[in-house]
């Protein structure tokens, strides 16, 4: 399956400045598998799938839109 | 101690006289500068029950030992007074370059007393102090006023102004500097307006002596690379606070329509991606290594910002999802000298009152045309604006709707839904100046990092306490909120600059002392634990949408969090500080 991954803020640099990439994952993969594949730790980043916050155990499906947010302070 | 000028400029506006006096160095050791030291001065000098808008109230501009040095992100100024909006202590923080200029003019602090008889402004150039009439500027917007003064006195001056909102003594009036930077909350601009002071112009030619300059340069260079300009902080540069829009929406804490619900999948028109498309430039404050400011322009709407709070509160919380409308709202409020957060909070409450048929304020959710007319009406007290200028707390007492008047102690909510971040609810309730996200920011752990369950009261009192201690000492250093430095680093930088040894434990002790001090001030003004509460909507109504759907903060859980917080602080079960503690603090 393929999921669309968007990196927010300074994390974009990890995709060589491109905000969004399609990432191929084995069927049945969860968010933690995606994080491992693209080099992120499981803790410390907020992950949203289709606009809703999820945790690393969340299963993914083909076509999901994933966003990874950097840690932030203030507002 | 190095880092300080050991000099306070005390100005009597009534008599139009100024004198210099040494900084109280005993207090400086205990409270550093900024927020803490400013509150210590006000606690000592202000008679209890002083009317915030009377000449007897004081307005204190307080720098810190790091201000004007090579330390990054140290360019903010603390402004302290008693709040016209809440009656509590009020300390605001303003960016730009004014703090550094005050320091270079030779002062750690400027204390304003009394009031001018006619509108005027202050011109401060090192030792030269002038009181200049400003009848021609009274009534003009902040932007026009700053431009006029820059042209008159030279572009190397730094300036603070108020707009019509401050002149009209509104509880949401702010102080502006560098056009788009604000000391925003609690009506600090109304205190300046009550003194008939349109502006403060500062020009300084001095510098700041640092105890160990060689070490300062070496360590700052290392810290910048290893701890400041890093992925953990660079969100401030790449996106600014707009990055929070999509994160808060996904986390179920982006409010909708006066906190009736959470916003879900509606932020595309005003999120960070949209902001970057409309970005025309970047800017940072003096000494800043991160540069969070974004100039946004869409047709005739232009502003530095909007920041997250404005995007959330003047956006979906007013039923508005269009960036151009929010930019225009922000631009109008800035020029009128009005806090976008409270202005938007009042308008969203009025929208709900109107739609529920409780009182017709002539404004409904999503009515962009009507919403863009409101800042001018409120700031200049025109028509319905004259009523809305009272603020949400007073309005709801008069017309009902108290259960959804989203305020604490008279200060309108920030843009984070507490039912999706329960510790944030506690943080609003116990913040020293009313509902504030800058006293503790537990939403980072509860929502962004996901390391703490957001929907439980367990452990939340300690989370809020830790955040308050951290911010209280950080804002006394003064270091900008957006640099997530450790307190060990803050202690090291203070040691290098002042020549006195500070440890991380000292930082924690100073932070806690400042929380006690602010509480003691509020207690003296009659505030009790009964004031540490939230609007009933948060206890009684569940969210319907988003990841926090079904959540409310049960009142008994809130009560338990509050009791635990008082226990950690060593306060009595009713939230008061014991006489023994006050004695220990030498208050």
């Amino acid at each position: 399956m393929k999921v669309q991954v968007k990196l927010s803020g300074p994390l974009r640099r990890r995709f060589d400045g491109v905000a969004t990439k399609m990432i191929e994952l084995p069927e049945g993969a969860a968010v933690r598998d995606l994080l491992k594949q693209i080099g992120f730790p499981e803790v410390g980043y907020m992950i949203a799938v289709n606009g809703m916050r999820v945790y690393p155990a969340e299963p993914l499906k083909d076509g999901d839109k994933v966003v990874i947010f950097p840690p932030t302070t203030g507002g | 101690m190095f880092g300080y000028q050991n000099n306070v400029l005390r100005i009597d506006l009534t008599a139009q006289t100024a004198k210099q006096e040494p900084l109280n160095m005993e207090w400086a050791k205990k409270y550093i500068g900024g927020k803490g030291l400013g509150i210590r001065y006000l606690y000592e000098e202000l008679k209890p029950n002083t009317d915030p808008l009377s000449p007897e109230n004081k307005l204190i501009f307080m720098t810190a030992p790091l201000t004007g040095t090579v330390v990054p992100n140290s360019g903010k100024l603390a402004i302290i007074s008693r709040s016209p909006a809440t009656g509590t202590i009020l300390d605001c923080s303003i960016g730009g370059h004014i703090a550094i200029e005050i320091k270079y003019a030779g002062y750690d602090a400027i204390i304003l007393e009394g009031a001018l008889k006619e509108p005027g402004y202050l011109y401060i150039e090192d030792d030269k102090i002038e009181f200049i009439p400003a009848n021609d500027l009274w009534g003009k917007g902040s932007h026009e006023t700053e431009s006029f003064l820059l042209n008159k006195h030279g572009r190397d001056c730094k300036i603070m102004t108020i707009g019509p909102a401050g002149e009209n003594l509104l509880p949401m009036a702010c102080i502006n500097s560098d056009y788009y930077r604000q000391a925003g909350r609690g009506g600090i601009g109304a205190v300046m307006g009550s003194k008939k002071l349109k502006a403060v112009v500062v020009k300084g030619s001095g510098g700041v002596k640092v105890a160990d300059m060689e070490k300062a340069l070496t360590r700052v260079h290392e810290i910048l690379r290893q701890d400041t300009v890093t992925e953990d902080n660079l969100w401030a540069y790449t996106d600014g606070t707009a990055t929070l829009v999509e994160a808060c929406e996904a986390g179920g804490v982006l409010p909708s329509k006066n906190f009736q619900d959470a916003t879900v999948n509606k932020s595309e028109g005003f999120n960070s991606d949209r902001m970057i498309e409309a970005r025309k430039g970047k800017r940072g404050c003096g000494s800043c290594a991160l540069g969070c400011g974004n100039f946004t322009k869409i047709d005739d709407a232009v502003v530095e910002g909007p920041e997250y709070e404005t995007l959330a509160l003047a956006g979906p919380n007013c039923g508005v999802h269009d960036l151009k409308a929010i930019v225009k709202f922000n631009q109008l409020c800035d020029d009128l000298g009005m806090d976008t957060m409270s202005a938007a909070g009042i308008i969203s409450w009025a929208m709900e009152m109107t739609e529920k048929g409780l009182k017709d304020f002539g404004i409904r959710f999503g009515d962009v045309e009507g919403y863009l007319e409101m800042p001018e009406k409120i700031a200049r007290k025109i028509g319905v604006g004259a009523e809305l200028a009272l603020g949400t707390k007073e309005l709801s007492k008069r017309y009902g709707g108290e259960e959804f008047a989203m305020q604490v102690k008279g200060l309108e909510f920030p843009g984070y839904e507490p039912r999706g971040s329960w510790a944030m609810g506690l943080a609003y309730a116990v913040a020293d100046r009313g509902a504030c996200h800058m006293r503790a920011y537990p939403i980072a752990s509860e929502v962004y990092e996901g390391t703490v369950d957001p929907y439980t009261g367990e452990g939340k009192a300690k989370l809020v306490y830790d955040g308050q201690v951290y911010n209280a000492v950080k804002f006394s250093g003064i270091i900008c909120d957006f640099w997530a430095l450790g307190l060990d680093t803050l202690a090291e930088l203070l040691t290098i600059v002042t020549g006195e040894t500070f440890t991380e434990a000292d930082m924690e002790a100073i932070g806690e002392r400042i929380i006690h001090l602010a509480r003691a001030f509020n207690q003296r003004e009659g505030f009790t634990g009964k004031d540490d509460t939230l609007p009933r909507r948060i206890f009684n109504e569940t969210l319907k949408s988003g990841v926090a759907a079904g959540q409310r903060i049960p009142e008994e859980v809130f009560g338990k969090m509050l009791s635990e917080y008082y226990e950690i602080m060593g306060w009595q079960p009713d939230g008061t500080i014991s006489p023994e503690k006050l004695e220990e603090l030498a208050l």
Side-chain angles (χ1 to χ4, degrees), chain A residues 3-18:
Chain A
V3 297
Q4 186 194 82
V5 179
K6 179 172 125 179
L7 300 185
S8 179
L11 303 180
R12 291 184 196 106
R13 290 179 183 192
R14 298 194 185 200
F15 275 178
D16 304 319
V18 180

Side-chain angles (χ1 to χ4, degrees), chain B residues 312-372:
Chain B
L313 295 167
N317 207 42
C318 285
V320 174
H321 303 88
D322 170 49
L323 184 59
K324 182 182 170 184
I326 303 169
V327 169
K328 194 72 196 172
F329 182 90
N330 197 156
Q331 182 184 1
L332 292 167
C333 287
D334 283 3
D335 190 38
L336 292 161
M338 195 156 60
D339 172 24
T340 55
M341 296 170 67
S342 282
I346 294 161
I347 291 167
S348 63
W349 174 86
M351 288 169 163
E352 185 170 350
M353 288 291 286
T354 304
E355 291 206 348
K356 285 203 155 89
L358 295 168
K359 160 82 180 164
D360 189 354
F361 288 98
I363 181 89
R364 290 172 179 270
F365 291 111
D367 168 13
V368 170
E369 201 178 320
Y371 142 104
L372 289 178

Side-chain angles (χ1 to χ4, degrees), chain B residues 367-412:
Chain B
D367 168 13
V368 170
E369 201 178 320
Y371 142 104
L372 289 178
E373 288 172 0
M374 281 299 167
E376 182 88 13
K377 285 182 178 172
I378 295 172
R380 297 192 189 275
K381 295 187 173 180
I382 300 165
V384 72
E387 287 208 280
L388 296 183
L390 292 168
T392 312
K393 184 180 178 185
E394 284 307 308
L395 281 163
S396 64
K397 271 188 195 165
R398 189 175 290 188
Y399 296 113
E402 280 181 283
E403 65 279 13
F404 56 83
M406 308 312 286
Q407 54 80 30
V408 175
K409 301 182 179 76
L411 190 69
E412 285 77 13

Side-chain angles (χ1 to χ4, degrees), chain B residues 30-37 39-40 89 91 432 468-469 471-477 507-521 569 571 585:
Chain B
K30 286 183 170 175
Y31 298 96
I32 306 180
K35 173 185 172 96
L37 190 54
I39 298 177
R40 186 65 189 87
I89 188 70
D91 72 281
D432 50 23
Q468 286 185 330
V469 167
N471 277 354
V473 68
K474 190 176 176 182
F475 297 164
S476 300
M507 297 295 95
E508 288 166 1
I510 290 168
E512 185 182 306
R513 188 178 298 134
I514 294 166
I515 303 171
H516 288 302
L517 172 68
R519 186 75 173 189
F521 183 99
M569 286 307 304
W571 298 343
L585 292 163

Side-chain angles (χ1 to χ4, degrees), chain B residues 341-584:
Chain B
M341 296 170 67
S342 282
I346 294 161
I347 291 167
S348 63
W349 174 86
M351 288 169 163
E352 185 170 350
M353 288 291 286
T354 304
E355 291 206 348
K356 285 203 155 89
L358 295 168
K359 160 82 180 164
D360 189 354
F361 288 98
I363 181 89
R364 290 172 179 270
F365 291 111
D367 168 13
V368 170
E369 201 178 320
Y371 142 104
L372 289 178
E373 288 172 0
M374 281 299 167
E376 182 88 13
K377 285 182 178 172
I378 295 172
R380 297 192 189 275
K381 295 187 173 180
I382 300 165
V384 72
E387 287 208 280
L388 296 183
L390 292 168
T392 312
K393 184 180 178 185
E394 284 307 308
L395 281 163
S396 64
K397 271 188 195 165
R398 189 175 290 188
Y399 296 113
E402 280 181 283
E403 65 279 13
F404 56 83
M406 308 312 286
Q407 54 80 30
V408 175
K409 301 182 179 76
L411 190 69
E412 285 77 13
F413 264 33
Y416 310 93
E417 168 55 71
R419 287 167 290 187
S421 173
W422 290 13
M424 212 63 199
L426 179 64
Y428 290 176
V430 298
D432 50 23
R433 63 178 188 178
C436 180
H437 64 293
M438 302 288 286
R439 298 298 172 263
Y441 199 67
I443 197 167
S445 311
E446 289 189 313
V447 177
Y448 308 150
E449 292 155 23
T451 49
V452 176
D453 180 356
Y455 317 125
T456 173
E458 294 298 319
K460 298 303 171 65
K462 180 70 165 58
L463 192 62
V464 169
Y465 164 82
D466 288 343
Q468 286 185 330
V469 167
Y470 175 78
N471 277 354
V473 68
K474 190 176 176 182
F475 297 164
S476 300
I478 305 167
I479 295 291
C480 172
D481 192 33
F482 296 161
W483 178 20
L485 87 171
L487 291 186
D488 54 340
T489 305
L490 180 58
E492 184 191 356
L493 290 168
L494 284 168
T495 302
I496 291 169
V497 167
T498 64
E500 290 276 317
T501 302
F502 289 97
T503 65
E504 187 176 355
D506 292 333
M507 297 295 95
E508 288 166 1
I510 290 168
E512 185 182 306
R513 188 178 298 134
I514 294 166
I515 303 171
H516 288 302
L517 172 68
R519 186 75 173 189
F521 183 99
N522 289 344
Q523 190 168 305
R524 199 172 66 177
E525 298 298 343
F527 288 88
T528 69
K530 285 181 184 159
D531 299 297
D532 297 337
T533 189
L534 294 168
R536 300 212 60 79
R537 165 163 286 166
I538 302 301
F539 301 139
N540 296 340
E541 297 177 26
T542 55
L543 290 172
K544 296 175 275 296
S545 310
V547 293
Q551 296 294 341
R552 63 184 176 91
I553 305 180
E555 198 166 1
E556 61 276 16
V557 174
F558 175 80
K560 192 162 177 284
M561 287 195 289
L562 194 59
S563 297
E564 286 171 5
Y565 172 81
Y566 292 159
E567 202 177 325
I568 289 169
M569 286 307 304
W571 298 343
Q572 298 179 74
D574 64 357
T576 54
I577 309 181
S578 65
E580 296 78 30
K581 189 76 193 174
L582 289 172
E583 198 170 323
E584 182 192 320

Side-chain angles (χ1 to χ4, degrees), chain B residues 156-223:
Chain B
D156 50 348
C157 292
K158 305 302 173 202
I159 296 169
M160 288 182 283
T161 63
I162 57 166
E167 296 168 11
N168 291 327
L169 312 180
L170 267 52
M172 72 296 286
C174 63
I175 296 175
N176 281 9
S177 192
D178 276 12
Y179 292 98
Y180 296 109
R181 299 295 169 129
Q182 283 84 30
R185 309 232 67 198
I188 197 84
V191 178
M192 199 157 139
S194 73
K195 298 188 180 305
K196 290 208 163 40
L197 189 64
K198 182 68 180 174
V200 179
V201 181
V202 185
K203 195 172 179 178
S205 63
V208 180
K209 284 183 186 164
V210 169
D212 189 340
M213 195 60 200
E214 193 180 333
K215 199 169 180 188
L217 288 170
T218 311
R219 279 299 288 143
V220 163
H221 184 64
E222 288 166 358
I223 288 168

